[in-house]
Each structure stands twice: as structure tokens, then as C-alpha cells.
Amino acid sequence: MVVSSWPRPGFATAALAAVAGRAVPPAPMLVQRILSIILPVFITIALGYGYARWRGEGVRGEMAAVNRISIDVLCPFLVLTAFASKDFDLAANLNLIVAGILVSLGSGLLARPVARLLGYDARSFVPPMMYNNCGNMGLPLAALAFGTAGLPAAVALFMAGSLVYFSVGIKIIESGRGGAGRTSWKFLTSPMMIAMLAGIVLAATRVAIPEGLFKSMQMLGEACIPLMLFALGVRMLDVSFRSWQIGLVGAIVCPLSGIAVAWLLDGLFAFSADQRGQLYLFAALPPAVLCFLVAEQFGRGTRQGRGDRPARQPRCRRLRAPRFVAGPGRLKERPSPLRAAR
């Protein structure tokens, strides 16, 4: 760990520099740069929403298989090939991985007193604040902002956030329930986590995957980025604005807490310009829709706190999308098996 030079850029200036690429350009150029990054993302999401409106209610069943393939096959291949790529240097990105872990943990620490102050159940509110949308939105934004050369670093941050959520975050959600350890290990042995661990081993040992196999896995992995954005558009079919207050709180707490921690870490690590931009972009993302799915699986859909459903945190992706470079959409609360058994 190396201490970078002081004084550091201000809070807002550093965040703008992360989105813009490096130094903050004049206002017209800055707007043009940001639009060139986010417009393709929102256009892809809009196409998914338009397709869902055209096909009607039956599209949910059609997309279920697509989402399963994305989670179990395409995303793991994206992670694995990013780490196994010749361009990825594990040692050079190690400080970025550590910083990503600290951003996720720090966001959870800052979110806990907010949950207590507002009367939300911390087991439901804190984990989504720890796991931002670094997959569906973070990877496409990083690819557009930093090019394909910046994708491995974005995947490294995605891995850092996933490791924290599927270990510490799941433990928080499970607290007070029996059999917590068994469920956590189930998540840790998922295709995504296996791909992360295998990628780290390949990056550390510099073992090369045969060229033909690597190209096939790389093509499949790269397909998951536009597919995830399209799926987010389809999920907009289920948009609901009930109990919007907790979504608005999450929209503010998650990005601001992440940026605050990233700003502090900027003074402790010697980041390159691209790494600094990647870190701020990662920190400024809103909660992932996956948090809703996990909350439902663990039976956190019942009313708690001040009457808000904890699974609603991911809604903040819709409410604050323009400001926090977020994506729209979420699923309606569906009864979980745990809730149906009650």
C-alpha cells in the first residue's frame, strides 16, 4: 500500500473525473462524454422494455431461461476469460481489488446507522447497500468509458463486490435463521464464484487456456453484457412505485456511501488514472436487482421496520437513474416458498 500525494481532488470533482475518464474537461465536452457512455446503455434497456411491451406478459417466462443462462454460463465465462487474459495483471490490479472490497464493506458500515435511524431492518437494508449494480450496469459502463482494455479491471471490482456480498452480505441476511452456513456455502459454490476462484488461480499462475477454447469462452462471456442490459429492460414491465420512500433512501445512501469510502481510499492507494476512474464508477453505482432475488429467497419479503418491504431497495435504480448512472427496472414481489409455508 502506497500513500498518494496530497491534496486530493474534491469529493464532487473526483466523482466527475471518474465518469468523464480522467481530468474534468469543460462542461460541453463533459456532457458529451457522459452521454456517449450512458446513451448506448439506456437505448439497449429501452429496446428490452419495448420488446417486453410488444410480447406481453408471456415474456417473463421466456426471459427466465435467458437469465439463468446468463448467470450460470455467460457471466462466469466473462469473469474467467477476463482474469485468464494475457492483458490482466493480478499484481497490478491487487490494490483495486482490495479497494473494491473495502468500498463494499465501508458502504455497509455507513448504511447500518441509517437503517437504525429510519427504523429499517438492517438485515434487509444493509446488504443491498454493500452490493451495487457492478454487473448489469457497471461492466457495460466500464467497457464504454475505458474501452475493452478496461474490462478486466471492471471485472476485478465486480469480483470484489460479489465476494463481499455472497459472504458477509449473505451472513447478515441469514442472521437469526437456522442453517445459515449451509446456504452460504451454496452461494459460494455457484458457477460465478467458481469462475472467480479459477480466474484468480489462472492469473496468479499465468497458466494459459488453449487458444481455441479461450476464444469460444470469450465470445460467450462478452455476449452477457448486452444481454443483461436487455433483460433489465424486460424487467421494467414489473415496475411498481409502492413504498417509494425506502427506494429513494437507498438511491442516496448506496452511491454516496460508496463514493465517500472511495474518496478516503484515494488517499491511501497509489491508483493510476484509469484505476481511479474505475473505482469511482464502481462506488457510484446503485444496488443490484440481484439483491431483491436474494431477499425473496431468504424470506425477507415480509413487512418489517416501518412497513417497507426490504426487497424494494433495488428500486432506487429507477428513481435516481440519471444522476447515479443507473438502470431501471425491478421485479414485483413474488411470494417466496418460505413465506408461502408460513
Side-chain angles (χ1 to χ4, degrees), residues 97 100-101 104 130-132 134 155-167 196 282:
I97 295 174
I101 293 175
S104 297
M130 299 170 62
Y131 191 51
N132 59 33
C134 50
V155 172
L157 287 169
F158 174 51
M159 181 210 70
S162 299
L163 284 175
V164 172
Y165 182 74
F166 288 121
S167 55
M196 291 178 187
F282 168 79

Side-chain angles (χ1 to χ4, degrees), residues 51-65 234 237:
Y51 175 79
R53 296 286 296 181
W54 175 55
R55 292 301 300 269
E57 297 291 326
V59 74
R60 294 188 184 91
E62 297 173 359
M63 291 302 297
V234 173
L237 200 63

Side-chain angles (χ1 to χ4, degrees), residues 28-222:
M29 294 180 60
L30 175 62
V31 173
Q32 182 180 2
R33 174 66 171 165
I34 294 176
L35 288 178
S36 67
I37 293 172
I38 66 173
L39 274 182
V41 173
F42 285 108
I43 289 174
T44 306
I45 295 172
L47 290 174
Y49 177 72
Y51 175 79
R53 296 286 296 181
W54 175 55
R55 292 301 300 269
E57 297 291 326
V59 74
R60 294 188 184 91
E62 297 173 359
M63 291 302 297
V66 175
N67 292 334
R68 174 58 60 186
I69 293 173
S70 297
I71 294 173
D72 289 348
V73 180
L74 304 185
C75 288
F77 277 153
L78 176 68
V79 172
L80 181 61
T81 54
F83 277 93
S85 172
K86 297 177 182 178
D87 299 329
F88 184 76
D89 188 344
L90 182 61
N93 288 282
L94 187 59
N95 61 342
L96 195 61
I97 295 174
V98 174
I101 293 175
L102 293 177
V103 166
S104 297
L105 292 174
S107 297
L109 289 175
L110 293 177
R112 188 174 182 84
V114 175
R116 182 173 299 179
L117 177 65
L118 298 179
Y120 301 147
D121 187 343
R123 295 171 298 177
S124 302
F125 183 78
V126 172
M129 302 300 102
M130 299 170 62
Y131 191 51
N132 59 33
N133 199 13
C134 50
N136 297 60
M137 293 298 299
L139 295 179
L141 286 174
L144 290 168
F146 303 97
T148 55
L151 193 57
V155 172
L157 287 169
F158 174 51
M159 181 210 70
S162 299
L163 284 175
V164 172
Y165 182 74
F166 288 121
S167 55
V168 179
I170 295 300
K171 284 292 186 181
I172 295 174
I173 296 174
E174 287 181 322
S175 58
R177 297 179 67 247
R182 291 194 301 273
T183 310
S184 293
W185 284 112
K186 179 181 177 181
F187 275 103
L188 292 173
T189 55
S190 67
M192 180 69 72
M193 301 303 293
I194 293 174
M196 291 178 187
L197 296 176
I200 292 175
V201 172
L202 291 174
T205 58
R206 307 302 296 177
V207 175
I209 300 176
E211 187 67 19
L213 179 60
F214 179 83
K215 286 293 184 183
S216 298
M217 292 191 300
Q218 190 176 45
M219 287 190 297
L220 287 171
E222 291 175 350

Side-chain angles (χ1 to χ4, degrees), residues 227-240:
L227 196 57
M228 287 191 298
L229 292 176
F230 192 86
L232 281 178
V234 173
R235 285 171 180 160
M236 284 187 64
L237 200 63
D238 297 309
V239 165
S240 172

